[in-house]
Amino acid sequence: MTSIAVRSEYQMLIGGEFHSASNGATITTINPATGQVLAVFPAATTQDVDRAVASAKAAGRNWSQLAPLARAELVNKLADAIEDNAEEFARLDSAENGSLLREMRRDVAAGVRAMRYFAGLALQMRGTTIPSPSGALTYTVRMPFGVVGRIVPFNHPFMFAAGKISAPLIAGNTVVIKPSEYTSLSALRLAELATDILPAGVLNVITGWGAEAGDALVTHPDVPRLAFTGSVATGLLIQRRAAETTVKTVTLELGGKNPLVIFPDASLDDAVDAAVRGMNFTWQGQSCGSLSRNIVHVDVYDEFVERLTAKVSALKPGLPDDDNSQTGAIINERQLEKVLDYVQLGISEGARLCTGGTRITDGELAAGLFVRPAVFSDVHVDSRLAQEEIFGPVLSVLRFHTEEEAIAMANATQYGLTASVFTENLGTAHRFAHQVEAGYVWINDVSRHIPGTPYGGVKNSGLGREEELDELLSYTQVKNVHIEHSSAATI
Ligand code: NAD
């Protein structure tokens, strides 16, 4: 791999200073594409999390009093500093999570875009005036919560670290963020840039294991607002644990098993291209929005499967910094085993493995965690292969006969994050968009996120919407103020 600015050791940012864990514990991070050790960083203890929350709470007194535009200016300044170091962030992410370097460059740009977007919305945190009796004035103002706890996953480390601290900060909260234990370096490097720009304690970055550092943040009584991005299982646990200490507002961006429905009137070329793009093989399928269930009309099913198989077989796994690579490495051994287990499960459930699904054990990729992208056909809607999020490069193709059946199949999982339909028929498209149980729907497109559009799920895919104004407002609480100013009023 090209040399990158990875140091051998990183520290956490607590109260404007860099710290090891209170007990000295560390986590070793490994490049999944090569198996090489990259660096060590702290495994925070409950005591470290307590200190981070206390620093954030203390810093909140001044930060919340700053004018919103002053906060926006500082967030924009941080975005400038990130842009000056963009290549380093992309390389840290790619080295740590095994995704293609060119995709991680896009992630850095997306993180910066999110920061500037929320900075630009700073003056939109408006209240209202409520018609009141003569002599009175009633209005609302939006107040920050205080300390926001932010927990993010491994698949877009920097984009989430940068993008998801922005709305809470602009809204006047201070933040304690915990990145994934598999991909913490870019968040720690972001912390280093932030110390020159943000007042001490406004942003704290703690690293460590979910069950210890994450749980300490979730259950901390001085963290009234939590936002989590990750798996359904962890999201459910966080909801339960959060409720055990104090009343907290919790929003959840969770997993998906998202449907792409292809009607027979759609261009098959476009549909096959979309199926490959929509599965996000560029991130080895490790994306919450991946359209991992293709639900295809019986009239075009066989041809679709044949063309899809040819296209997916031709995808070239490779080292993340090689411009010719089309898909990278799986995040860790556990996830690799999970992917391979699901391939065996699919076969045992009677689905047909059309291509891929095996680990690459020869050549330069043998030292890393690479799996050939897989396509299964003849997948039954009730099978575990069709029901469970694999979060890997395994695409299932299901067959439908009627529009009603297609929509029922699309909705037949616990998830409801994204969905897509390919058809030339306006009526079919609208009925699908209306009836599908998903937070984000594409018609004749996949994967595209236009900035400022709400992202989030229904059912077990989550609670709340992000990436637009509602995300910013979700970090505020409405306070009503009634003023009695009639001459009769006495104080
Ligand atoms: P994960 O749930 O295993 O971990 C996510 C984060 O939660 C990590 O930082 C982890 O340390 C922390 N965590 C784990 N246990 C915890 C606990 N008990 N208390 C507090 N924190 C804890 O998820 P992952 O494997 O890192 O990421 C993959 C999952 O994330 C997939 O399900 C994917 O669909 C989902 N995801 C959702 C979105 C979205 O926007 N909806 C985006 C990206 C990823």
Side-chain angles (χ1 to χ4, degrees):
M1 208 157 175
T2 314
S3 71
I4 56 169
V6 181
R7 301 195 306 269
S8 58
E9 194 174 346
Y10 288 75
Q11 289 189 313
M12 300 182 285
L13 177 64
I14 299 175
E17 288 172 357
F18 288 92
H19 292 273
S20 305
S22 60
N23 62 1
T26 57
I27 293 174
T28 301
T29 183
I30 290 169
N31 183 333
T34 63
Q36 285 165 352
V37 168
L38 281 170
V40 293
F41 57 82
T45 61
T46 302
Q47 207 185 331
D48 297 320
V49 175
D50 285 348
R51 278 166 50 216
V53 173
S55 304
K57 192 175 174 186
R61 287 188 271 279
N62 287 337
W63 183 250
S64 62
Q65 297 303 313
L66 271 186
L69 285 182
R71 292 196 294 264
E73 199 179 321
L74 292 175
V75 169
N76 273 326
K77 243 179 143 173
L78 183 56
D80 294 342
I82 291 165
E83 275 180 326
D84 292 343
N85 295 272
E87 183 65 11
E88 181 184 356
F89 284 112
R91 286 184 179 271
L92 284 174
D93 273 4
S94 178
E96 248 195 325
N97 82 353
S99 286
L100 301 181
L101 177 57
R102 63 171 181 275
E103 295 299 326
M104 295 296 100
R105 287 186 181 126
R106 286 200 189 115
D107 268 23
V108 176
V112 167
R113 200 164 48 232
M115 297 178 84
R116 297 202 191 285
Y117 170 75
F118 285 114
L121 288 179
L123 295 181
Q124 297 306 314
M125 293 179 290
R126 295 175 177 175
T128 50
T129 52
I130 294 102
S132 308
S134 162
L137 172 65
T138 303
Y139 65 92
T140 62
V141 281
R142 291 186 171 273
M143 311 295 291
F145 279 86
V147 181
V148 169
R150 250 312 195 172
I151 299 176
V152 291
F154 72 80
N155 58 332
H156 298 289
F158 180 79
M159 185 176 91
F160 287 153
K164 295 194 182 299
I165 58 173
S166 307
L169 289 178
I170 293 292
N173 304 278
T174 52
V175 174
V176 179
I177 184 169
K178 194 200 89 62
S180 165
E181 52 271 43
Y182 299 105
T183 53
S184 290
L185 300 188
S186 58
L188 292 172
R189 183 70 188 109
L190 170 66
E192 292 173 7
L193 297 187
T195 49
D196 290 337
I197 296 165
L198 299 176
V202 167
L203 174 66
N204 302 271
V205 181
I206 53 153
T207 49
W209 302 107
E212 185 170 8
D215 188 67
L217 187 58
V218 166
T219 53
H220 201 293
D222 287 336
V223 180
R225 173 77 172 91
L226 287 164
F228 171 72
T229 308
S231 62
V232 172
T234 311
L236 288 169
L237 179 60
I238 284 177
Q239 256 187 339
R240 281 199 299 277
R241 291 288 287 153
E244 284 173 22
T245 47
T246 44
V247 170
K248 293 175 192 283
T249 302
V250 181
T251 49
L252 303 167
E253 289 279 353
L254 308 177
K257 188 78 182 182
N258 308 300
L260 162 58
V261 175
I262 293 157
F263 281 88
D265 61 340
S267 149
L268 211 55
D269 283 342
D270 290 352
V272 171
D273 280 352
V276 176
R277 271 188 296 125
M279 184 55 208
N280 297 317
F281 285 114
T282 44
W283 302 308
Q284 304 72 255
Q286 297 171 149
S287 172
C288 55
S290 292
L291 297 156
S292 52
R293 291 183 301 145
N294 291 174
I295 301 173
V296 182
H297 191 271
V298 63
D299 287 353
V300 291
Y301 188 87
D302 290 341
E303 197 179 341
F304 176 86
V305 169
E306 195 181 317
R307 290 204 211 172
L308 178 70
T309 301
K311 239 185 158 69
V312 173
S313 311
L315 288 176
K316 189 177 172 299
L319 291 174
D321 62 349
D322 180 344
D323 284 343
N324 295 315
S325 303
Q326 291 172 301
T327 179
I330 303 287
I331 183 71
N332 56 37
E333 295 271 357
R334 199 180 50 152
Q335 188 60 23
L336 178 101
E337 287 308 317
K338 183 178 166 192
V339 170
L340 298 177
D341 285 351
Y342 269 103
V343 171
Q344 290 313 310
L345 177 75
I347 294 168
S348 71
E349 286 181 324
R352 187 167 72 89
L353 180 61
C354 305
T355 184
T358 50
R359 182 174 181 177
I360 298 177
T361 52
D362 53 353
E364 64 175 356
L365 304 187
L369 307 174
F370 291 87
V371 175
R372 294 180 181 86
V375 173
F376 271 101
S377 69
D378 303 316
V379 178
H380 193 272
V381 65
D382 294 328
S383 64
R384 285 184 58 200
L385 191 63
Q387 288 291 320
E388 297 174 14
E389 184 189 46
I390 301 170
F391 217 58
V394 182
L395 178 51
S396 296
V397 192
L398 295 79
R399 194 185 272 107
F400 78 89
H401 297 82
T402 66
E403 181 182 318
E404 198 181 15
E405 186 191 10
I407 293 171
M409 287 168 87
N411 289 339
T413 72
Q414 63 165 317
Y415 300 102
L417 190 57
T418 67
S420 169
V421 63
F422 270 66
T423 178
E424 293 296 306
N425 184 315
L426 198 60
T428 307
H430 277 299
R431 282 191 295 278
F432 178 84
H434 191 70
Q435 292 172 47
V436 74
E437 293 164 354
Y440 204 107
V441 182
W442 294 281
I443 295 172
N444 295 329
D445 200 1
V446 293
S447 299
R448 220 136 61 104
H449 286 218
I450 309 244
T453 51
Y455 192 77
V458 299
K459 302 199 292 191
N460 276 355
S461 287
L463 268 183
R465 294 294 176 268
E466 296 191 342
E467 304 178 12
E468 42 90 46
L469 181 61
D470 276 354
E471 179 180 351
L472 179 66
L473 300 182
S474 81
Y475 289 105
T476 65
Q477 288 180 305
V478 171
K479 179 187 278 180
N480 189 77
V481 181
H482 175 96
I483 307 172
E484 185 60 52
H485 61 78
S486 70
S487 54
T490 50
I491 295 180

PDB file of all heavy atoms in Angstrom, residues 66-77:
ATOM      1  N   LEU A  66     -22.884  31.213  22.557  1.00  0.00           N
ATOM      2  CA  LEU A  66     -22.330  31.840  21.346  1.00  0.00           C
ATOM      3  C   LEU A  66     -23.452  32.070  20.340  1.00  0.00           C
ATOM      4  O   LEU A  66     -24.382  31.263  20.245  1.00  0.00           O
ATOM      5  CB  LEU A  66     -21.329  30.898  20.681  1.00  0.00           C
ATOM      6  CG  LEU A  66     -19.862  30.925  21.082  1.00  0.00           C
ATOM      7  CD1 LEU A  66     -19.082  29.993  20.157  1.00  0.00           C
ATOM      8  CD2 LEU A  66     -19.308  32.335  20.998  1.00  0.00           C
ATOM      9  N   ALA A  67     -23.326  33.117  19.537  1.00  0.00           N
ATOM     10  CA  ALA A  67     -24.316  33.331  18.478  1.00  0.00           C
ATOM     11  C   ALA A  67     -24.242  32.163  17.499  1.00  0.00           C
ATOM     12  O   ALA A  67     -23.138  31.661  17.218  1.00  0.00           O
ATOM     13  CB  ALA A  67     -24.011  34.638  17.756  1.00  0.00           C
ATOM     14  N   PRO A  68     -25.384  31.700  16.973  1.00  0.00           N
ATOM     15  CA  PRO A  68     -25.357  30.573  16.036  1.00  0.00           C
ATOM     16  C   PRO A  68     -24.383  30.785  14.878  1.00  0.00           C
ATOM     17  O   PRO A  68     -23.682  29.853  14.469  1.00  0.00           O
ATOM     18  CB  PRO A  68     -26.803  30.500  15.526  1.00  0.00           C
ATOM     19  CG  PRO A  68     -27.618  31.075  16.639  1.00  0.00           C
ATOM     20  CD  PRO A  68     -26.762  32.132  17.283  1.00  0.00           C
ATOM     21  N   LEU A  69     -24.294  32.016  14.376  1.00  0.00           N
ATOM     22  CA  LEU A  69     -23.369  32.245  13.260  1.00  0.00           C
ATOM     23  C   LEU A  69     -21.915  32.132  13.695  1.00  0.00           C
ATOM     24  O   LEU A  69     -21.047  31.776  12.890  1.00  0.00           O
ATOM     25  CB  LEU A  69     -23.628  33.614  12.612  1.00  0.00           C
ATOM     26  CG  LEU A  69     -24.871  33.687  11.722  1.00  0.00           C
ATOM     27  CD1 LEU A  69     -25.005  35.064  11.100  1.00  0.00           C
ATOM     28  CD2 LEU A  69     -24.846  32.615  10.631  1.00  0.00           C
ATOM     29  N   ALA A  70     -21.644  32.414  14.958  1.00  0.00           N
ATOM     30  CA  ALA A  70     -20.265  32.249  15.455  1.00  0.00           C
ATOM     31  C   ALA A  70     -19.930  30.758  15.529  1.00  0.00           C
ATOM     32  O   ALA A  70     -18.821  30.331  15.184  1.00  0.00           O
ATOM     33  CB  ALA A  70     -20.126  32.912  16.822  1.00  0.00           C
ATOM     34  N   ARG A  71     -20.901  29.955  15.962  1.00  0.00           N
ATOM     35  CA  ARG A  71     -20.672  28.497  15.974  1.00  0.00           C
ATOM     36  C   ARG A  71     -20.475  28.001  14.535  1.00  0.00           C
ATOM     37  O   ARG A  71     -19.600  27.179  14.256  1.00  0.00           O
ATOM     38  CB  ARG A  71     -21.842  27.773  16.644  1.00  0.00           C
ATOM     39  CG  ARG A  71     -21.965  28.045  18.123  1.00  0.00           C
ATOM     40  CD  ARG A  71     -22.876  27.029  18.809  1.00  0.00           C
ATOM     41  NE  ARG A  71     -24.262  27.105  18.400  1.00  0.00           N
ATOM     42  CZ  ARG A  71     -25.219  27.770  19.056  1.00  0.00           C
ATOM     43  NH1 ARG A  71     -24.932  28.409  20.180  1.00  0.00           N
ATOM     44  NH2 ARG A  71     -26.460  27.780  18.630  1.00  0.00           N
ATOM     45  N   ALA A  72     -21.310  28.527  13.631  1.00  0.00           N
ATOM     46  CA  ALA A  72     -21.216  28.096  12.230  1.00  0.00           C
ATOM     47  C   ALA A  72     -19.846  28.438  11.651  1.00  0.00           C
ATOM     48  O   ALA A  72     -19.259  27.653  10.897  1.00  0.00           O
ATOM     49  CB  ALA A  72     -22.323  28.754  11.412  1.00  0.00           C
ATOM     50  N   GLU A  73     -19.342  29.597  12.035  1.00  0.00           N
ATOM     51  CA  GLU A  73     -18.036  30.010  11.505  1.00  0.00           C
ATOM     52  C   GLU A  73     -16.953  29.011  11.948  1.00  0.00           C
ATOM     53  O   GLU A  73     -16.082  28.642  11.168  1.00  0.00           O
ATOM     54  CB  GLU A  73     -17.722  31.413  12.024  1.00  0.00           C
ATOM     55  CG  GLU A  73     -16.662  32.118  11.220  1.00  0.00           C
ATOM     56  CD  GLU A  73     -16.411  33.520  11.767  1.00  0.00           C
ATOM     57  OE1 GLU A  73     -17.381  34.207  12.171  1.00  0.00           O
ATOM     58  OE2 GLU A  73     -15.228  33.906  11.803  1.00  0.00           O
ATOM     59  N   LEU A  74     -17.039  28.570  13.199  1.00  0.00           N
ATOM     60  CA  LEU A  74     -16.024  27.631  13.693  1.00  0.00           C
ATOM     61  C   LEU A  74     -16.162  26.260  13.021  1.00  0.00           C
ATOM     62  O   LEU A  74     -15.156  25.624  12.687  1.00  0.00           O
ATOM     63  CB  LEU A  74     -16.123  27.510  15.218  1.00  0.00           C
ATOM     64  CG  LEU A  74     -15.726  28.782  15.973  1.00  0.00           C
ATOM     65  CD1 LEU A  74     -15.956  28.626  17.471  1.00  0.00           C
ATOM     66  CD2 LEU A  74     -14.260  29.135  15.710  1.00  0.00           C
ATOM     67  N   VAL A  75     -17.406  25.838  12.810  1.00  0.00           N
ATOM     68  CA  VAL A  75     -17.601  24.546  12.125  1.00  0.00           C
ATOM     69  C   VAL A  75     -17.086  24.653  10.687  1.00  0.00           C
ATOM     70  O   VAL A  75     -16.428  23.726  10.169  1.00  0.00           O
ATOM     71  CB  VAL A  75     -19.084  24.114  12.191  1.00  0.00           C
ATOM     72  CG1 VAL A  75     -19.361  22.938  11.262  1.00  0.00           C
ATOM     73  CG2 VAL A  75     -19.460  23.738  13.630  1.00  0.00           C
ATOM     74  N   ASN A  76     -17.326  25.779  10.035  1.00  0.00           N
ATOM     75  CA  ASN A  76     -16.790  25.959   8.675  1.00  0.00           C
ATOM     76  C   ASN A  76     -15.266  25.985   8.675  1.00  0.00           C
ATOM     77  O   ASN A  76     -14.624  25.485   7.753  1.00  0.00           O
ATOM     78  CB  ASN A  76     -17.324  27.261   8.069  1.00  0.00           C
ATOM     79  CG  ASN A  76     -18.669  27.046   7.378  1.00  0.00           C
ATOM     80  OD1 ASN A  76     -18.914  25.976   6.812  1.00  0.00           O
ATOM     81  ND2 ASN A  76     -19.531  28.042   7.434  1.00  0.00           N
ATOM     82  N   LYS A  77     -14.698  26.560   9.720  1.00  0.00           N
ATOM     83  CA  LYS A  77     -13.230  26.596   9.825  1.00  0.00           C
ATOM     84  C   LYS A  77     -12.667  25.175   9.958  1.00  0.00           C
ATOM     85  O   LYS A  77     -11.637  24.844   9.368  1.00  0.00           O
ATOM     86  CB  LYS A  77     -12.831  27.399  11.080  1.00  0.00           C
ATOM     87  CG  LYS A  77     -12.058  28.653  10.776  1.00  0.00           C
ATOM     88  CD  LYS A  77     -11.745  29.360  12.063  1.00  0.00           C
ATOM     89  CE  LYS A  77     -10.382  29.973  11.981  1.00  0.00           C
ATOM     90  NZ  LYS A  77     -10.109  30.805  13.146  1.00  0.00           N
TER      91      LYS A  77
END
